Amino acid sequence: MMKQFFMYPYNWLILVVGVVLLTVAIFYLIRFSGRQGGDRPERSPLDIVKERYARGEIGREEFERIKKDLE
């Protein structure tokens, strides 16, 4: 059965293209599977609290309390 598959000239081309596509797909899955937020560096919890304070989402007292808990 395998002999018959390789006897036709376009079957070689289909096989090679399939292997290349599979290899490229695996490469991209491995390369981009670990990324969560792009290329941004990970922010610390203190950075997040500072941003929330700067936006006015939390007051000074709450900011100081959370900051003290995190340090």
Side-chain angles (χ1 to χ4, degrees):
M1 179 153 177
M2 288 300 283
K3 263 186 166 180
Q4 291 174 347
F5 178 79
F6 291 114
M7 286 176 56
Y8 300 104
Y10 292 109
N11 287 348
W12 281 99
L13 181 63
I14 292 169
L15 181 67
V16 170
V17 169
V19 169
V20 168
L21 288 175
L22 184 63
T23 304
V24 169
I26 290 172
F27 170 77
Y28 278 103
L29 283 174
I30 292 172
R31 175 128 161 77
F32 296 111
S33 66
R35 293 193 177 178
Q36 296 290 329
D39 291 331
R40 294 186 316 178
E42 191 172 322
R43 299 180 308 175
S44 71
L46 187 57
D47 291 335
I48 295 170
V49 171
K50 287 178 182 178
E51 289 175 12
R52 289 184 63 200
Y53 178 62
R55 286 193 300 258
E57 293 177 7
I58 58 176
R60 181 168 183 81
E61 295 82 20
E62 188 175 2
F63 170 73
E64 292 296 333
R65 181 183 56 79
I66 293 172
K67 182 179 166 186
K68 185 178 177 183
D69 287 345
L70 290 175
E71 293 176 342

Short mmCIF file of all heavy atoms in Angstrom, two decimals, residues 36-68:
data_model
loop_
_atom_site.label_atom_id
_atom_site.label_comp_id
_atom_site.label_asym_id
_atom_site.label_seq_id
_atom_site.Cartn_x
_atom_site.Cartn_y
_atom_site.Cartn_z
N GLN A 36 1.35 35.24 28.30
CA GLN A 36 0.04 35.62 28.82
C GLN A 36 -0.33 37.04 28.41
O GLN A 36 -1.41 37.28 27.93
CB GLN A 36 0.03 35.53 30.35
CG GLN A 36 0.22 34.13 30.85
CD GLN A 36 -0.97 33.26 30.57
OE1 GLN A 36 -2.08 33.74 30.54
NE2 GLN A 36 -0.76 31.99 30.37
N GLY A 37 0.58 37.97 28.61
CA GLY A 37 0.27 39.37 28.36
C GLY A 37 1.20 40.02 27.38
O GLY A 37 1.51 41.19 27.54
N GLY A 38 1.67 39.31 26.41
CA GLY A 38 2.58 39.89 25.44
C GLY A 38 3.98 40.01 25.98
O GLY A 38 4.44 39.18 26.76
N ASP A 39 4.67 41.08 25.62
CA ASP A 39 6.06 41.27 26.03
C ASP A 39 6.20 42.16 27.26
O ASP A 39 7.30 42.58 27.58
CB ASP A 39 6.87 41.86 24.87
CG ASP A 39 7.03 40.86 23.74
OD1 ASP A 39 7.04 39.65 24.03
OD2 ASP A 39 7.14 41.29 22.58
N ARG A 40 5.10 42.47 27.91
CA ARG A 40 5.18 43.33 29.08
C ARG A 40 5.82 42.59 30.24
O ARG A 40 5.55 41.42 30.47
CB ARG A 40 3.79 43.77 29.53
CG ARG A 40 3.08 44.65 28.53
CD ARG A 40 1.79 45.15 29.08
NE ARG A 40 1.04 44.09 29.76
CZ ARG A 40 -0.10 44.25 30.36
NH1 ARG A 40 -0.66 45.42 30.38
NH2 ARG A 40 -0.72 43.26 30.94
N PRO A 41 6.67 43.27 30.99
CA PRO A 41 7.22 42.64 32.18
C PRO A 41 6.12 42.46 33.24
O PRO A 41 5.16 43.23 33.29
CB PRO A 41 8.28 43.62 32.67
CG PRO A 41 7.93 44.92 32.04
CD PRO A 41 7.19 44.60 30.77
N GLU A 42 6.28 41.47 34.05
CA GLU A 42 5.28 41.19 35.08
C GLU A 42 5.31 42.27 36.15
O GLU A 42 6.38 42.68 36.60
CB GLU A 42 5.55 39.82 35.70
CG GLU A 42 4.43 39.34 36.56
CD GLU A 42 4.64 37.91 37.01
OE1 GLU A 42 5.14 37.11 36.23
OE2 GLU A 42 4.32 37.63 38.17
N ARG A 43 4.12 42.72 36.56
CA ARG A 43 4.03 43.76 37.58
C ARG A 43 3.92 43.13 38.96
O ARG A 43 3.28 42.11 39.14
CB ARG A 43 2.81 44.64 37.34
CG ARG A 43 2.85 45.35 36.01
CD ARG A 43 1.63 46.21 35.81
NE ARG A 43 0.42 45.42 36.04
CZ ARG A 43 -0.80 45.92 36.04
NH1 ARG A 43 -0.99 47.19 35.84
NH2 ARG A 43 -1.84 45.15 36.24
N SER A 44 4.52 43.78 39.92
CA SER A 44 4.42 43.31 41.30
C SER A 44 3.10 43.78 41.90
O SER A 44 2.48 44.73 41.41
CB SER A 44 5.60 43.85 42.11
OG SER A 44 5.44 45.24 42.33
N PRO A 45 2.68 43.15 42.99
CA PRO A 45 1.45 43.60 43.65
C PRO A 45 1.54 45.06 44.11
O PRO A 45 0.56 45.81 44.04
CB PRO A 45 1.31 42.66 44.84
CG PRO A 45 2.03 41.42 44.42
CD PRO A 45 3.16 41.89 43.56
N LEU A 46 2.73 45.48 44.53
CA LEU A 46 2.90 46.87 44.97
C LEU A 46 2.72 47.83 43.79
O LEU A 46 2.12 48.90 43.94
CB LEU A 46 4.27 47.06 45.61
CG LEU A 46 4.53 48.41 46.26
CD1 LEU A 46 3.48 48.73 47.31
CD2 LEU A 46 5.93 48.45 46.85
N ASP A 47 3.19 47.46 42.61
CA ASP A 47 3.00 48.29 41.42
C ASP A 47 1.51 48.45 41.11
O ASP A 47 1.05 49.53 40.75
CB ASP A 47 3.71 47.69 40.21
CG ASP A 47 5.22 47.75 40.32
OD1 ASP A 47 5.73 48.62 41.05
OD2 ASP A 47 5.88 46.91 39.68
N ILE A 48 0.77 47.37 41.25
CA ILE A 48 -0.67 47.41 40.98
C ILE A 48 -1.39 48.33 41.96
O ILE A 48 -2.24 49.14 41.57
CB ILE A 48 -1.27 45.98 41.02
CG1 ILE A 48 -0.67 45.14 39.89
CG2 ILE A 48 -2.79 46.02 40.93
CD1 ILE A 48 -0.98 43.67 39.98
N VAL A 49 -1.00 48.26 43.24
CA VAL A 49 -1.62 49.12 44.26
C VAL A 49 -1.27 50.58 43.99
O VAL A 49 -2.13 51.47 44.12
CB VAL A 49 -1.18 48.68 45.67
CG1 VAL A 49 -1.63 49.68 46.72
CG2 VAL A 49 -1.71 47.30 45.99
N LYS A 50 -0.04 50.85 43.59
CA LYS A 50 0.36 52.22 43.26
C LYS A 50 -0.46 52.77 42.10
O LYS A 50 -0.88 53.93 42.12
CB LYS A 50 1.85 52.28 42.92
CG LYS A 50 2.76 52.13 44.10
CD LYS A 50 4.21 52.16 43.67
CE LYS A 50 5.15 51.95 44.83
NZ LYS A 50 6.56 51.94 44.40
N GLU A 51 -0.70 51.93 41.10
CA GLU A 51 -1.50 52.36 39.95
C GLU A 51 -2.95 52.64 40.38
O GLU A 51 -3.56 53.61 39.93
CB GLU A 51 -1.47 51.31 38.85
CG GLU A 51 -0.14 51.21 38.15
CD GLU A 51 -0.10 50.08 37.15
OE1 GLU A 51 -1.17 49.50 36.82
OE2 GLU A 51 1.01 49.75 36.69
N ARG A 52 -3.50 51.78 41.23
CA ARG A 52 -4.88 51.99 41.70
C ARG A 52 -4.98 53.28 42.51
O ARG A 52 -5.96 54.01 42.39
CB ARG A 52 -5.32 50.80 42.55
CG ARG A 52 -5.54 49.54 41.73
CD ARG A 52 -6.08 48.42 42.57
NE ARG A 52 -7.38 48.78 43.10
CZ ARG A 52 -7.94 48.20 44.15
NH1 ARG A 52 -7.32 47.22 44.78
NH2 ARG A 52 -9.12 48.57 44.59
N TYR A 53 -3.96 53.56 43.31
CA TYR A 53 -3.95 54.80 44.09
C TYR A 53 -3.84 56.01 43.16
O TYR A 53 -4.55 57.01 43.34
CB TYR A 53 -2.80 54.78 45.09
CG TYR A 53 -2.67 56.02 45.92
CD1 TYR A 53 -3.68 56.42 46.78
CD2 TYR A 53 -1.53 56.82 45.84
CE1 TYR A 53 -3.56 57.57 47.54
CE2 TYR A 53 -1.40 57.97 46.59
CZ TYR A 53 -2.42 58.34 47.45
OH TYR A 53 -2.31 59.48 48.20
N ALA A 54 -3.00 55.90 42.15
CA ALA A 54 -2.83 57.01 41.21
C ALA A 54 -4.11 57.28 40.42
O ALA A 54 -4.40 58.43 40.08
CB ALA A 54 -1.68 56.70 40.25
N ARG A 55 -4.89 56.25 40.14
CA ARG A 55 -6.16 56.42 39.41
C ARG A 55 -7.29 56.88 40.32
O ARG A 55 -8.38 57.20 39.85
CB ARG A 55 -6.56 55.11 38.74
CG ARG A 55 -5.74 54.76 37.51
CD ARG A 55 -6.36 53.64 36.72
NE ARG A 55 -6.50 52.42 37.49
CZ ARG A 55 -5.70 51.35 37.39
NH1 ARG A 55 -4.69 51.37 36.55
NH2 ARG A 55 -5.91 50.29 38.12
N GLY A 56 -7.05 56.86 41.63
CA GLY A 56 -8.08 57.30 42.56
C GLY A 56 -9.05 56.20 42.96
O GLY A 56 -10.09 56.48 43.53
N GLU A 57 -8.72 54.95 42.66
CA GLU A 57 -9.61 53.85 43.01
C GLU A 57 -9.60 53.55 44.50
O GLU A 57 -10.59 53.04 45.04
CB GLU A 57 -9.22 52.59 42.24
CG GLU A 57 -9.43 52.70 40.75
CD GLU A 57 -8.96 51.46 40.01
OE1 GLU A 57 -8.59 50.45 40.66
OE2 GLU A 57 -8.96 51.49 38.76
N ILE A 58 -8.48 53.84 45.17
CA ILE A 58 -8.38 53.63 46.61
C ILE A 58 -7.85 54.92 47.24
O ILE A 58 -7.17 55.71 46.60
CB ILE A 58 -7.45 52.44 46.96
CG1 ILE A 58 -6.05 52.63 46.41
CG2 ILE A 58 -8.04 51.13 46.48
CD1 ILE A 58 -5.07 51.55 46.81
N GLY A 59 -8.19 55.11 48.51
CA GLY A 59 -7.75 56.30 49.24
C GLY A 59 -6.36 56.12 49.83
O GLY A 59 -5.76 55.04 49.78
N ARG A 60 -5.87 57.21 50.43
CA ARG A 60 -4.51 57.20 51.00
C ARG A 60 -4.39 56.19 52.14
O ARG A 60 -3.40 55.47 52.23
CB ARG A 60 -4.14 58.59 51.47
CG ARG A 60 -2.73 58.66 52.04
CD ARG A 60 -2.29 60.10 52.24
NE ARG A 60 -0.94 60.17 52.71
CZ ARG A 60 0.15 60.07 51.96
NH1 ARG A 60 0.03 59.87 50.68
NH2 ARG A 60 1.35 60.16 52.49
N GLU A 61 -5.40 56.14 53.01
CA GLU A 61 -5.32 55.24 54.16
C GLU A 61 -5.26 53.78 53.70
O GLU A 61 -4.47 52.98 54.21
CB GLU A 61 -6.53 55.44 55.09
CG GLU A 61 -6.59 56.79 55.75
CD GLU A 61 -7.20 57.86 54.85
OE1 GLU A 61 -7.90 57.51 53.87
OE2 GLU A 61 -6.96 59.04 55.11
N GLU A 62 -6.13 53.45 52.74
CA GLU A 62 -6.14 52.07 52.23
C GLU A 62 -4.84 51.75 51.52
O GLU A 62 -4.29 50.66 51.66
CB GLU A 62 -7.33 51.86 51.29
CG GLU A 62 -7.50 50.41 50.88
CD GLU A 62 -8.75 50.19 50.06
OE1 GLU A 62 -9.48 51.15 49.77
OE2 GLU A 62 -9.00 49.02 49.71
N PHE A 63 -4.31 52.73 50.76
CA PHE A 63 -3.03 52.54 50.07
C PHE A 63 -1.93 52.25 51.08
O PHE A 63 -1.13 51.31 50.91
CB PHE A 63 -2.68 53.77 49.23
CG PHE A 63 -1.29 53.74 48.69
CD1 PHE A 63 -0.94 52.90 47.64
CD2 PHE A 63 -0.30 54.56 49.23
CE1 PHE A 63 0.36 52.86 47.14
CE2 PHE A 63 0.99 54.53 48.74
CZ PHE A 63 1.32 53.68 47.69
N GLU A 64 -1.85 53.05 52.13
CA GLU A 64 -0.80 52.87 53.14
C GLU A 64 -0.95 51.51 53.85
O GLU A 64 0.05 50.84 54.13
CB GLU A 64 -0.84 54.01 54.16
CG GLU A 64 -0.45 55.36 53.60
CD GLU A 64 0.99 55.43 53.11
OE1 GLU A 64 1.85 54.68 53.62
OE2 GLU A 64 1.26 56.25 52.21
N ARG A 65 -2.19 51.11 54.12
CA ARG A 65 -2.42 49.83 54.79
C ARG A 65 -1.97 48.67 53.91
O ARG A 65 -1.26 47.76 54.34
CB ARG A 65 -3.90 49.68 55.15
CG ARG A 65 -4.22 48.38 55.88
CD ARG A 65 -5.71 48.24 56.16
NE ARG A 65 -6.54 48.33 54.97
CZ ARG A 65 -6.72 47.33 54.09
NH1 ARG A 65 -6.13 46.17 54.28
NH2 ARG A 65 -7.51 47.48 53.05
N ILE A 66 -2.36 48.71 52.63
CA ILE A 66 -1.99 47.62 51.70
C ILE A 66 -0.48 47.61 51.50
O ILE A 66 0.16 46.56 51.47
CB ILE A 66 -2.73 47.79 50.37
CG1 ILE A 66 -4.23 47.59 50.57
CG2 ILE A 66 -2.21 46.79 49.34
CD1 ILE A 66 -5.07 47.92 49.36
N LYS A 67 0.10 48.81 51.35
CA LYS A 67 1.55 48.91 51.15
C LYS A 67 2.30 48.31 52.34
O LYS A 67 3.27 47.56 52.16
CB LYS A 67 1.93 50.38 50.97
CG LYS A 67 3.39 50.62 50.71
CD LYS A 67 3.62 52.11 50.51
CE LYS A 67 5.09 52.42 50.58
NZ LYS A 67 5.37 53.85 50.53
N LYS A 68 1.82 48.60 53.55
CA LYS A 68 2.46 48.06 54.74
C LYS A 68 2.33 46.53 54.79
O LYS A 68 3.27 45.82 55.16
CB LYS A 68 1.82 48.67 55.99
CG LYS A 68 2.47 48.26 57.28
CD LYS A 68 1.80 48.95 58.45
CE LYS A 68 2.42 48.47 59.75
NZ LYS A 68 1.76 49.04 60.92
#
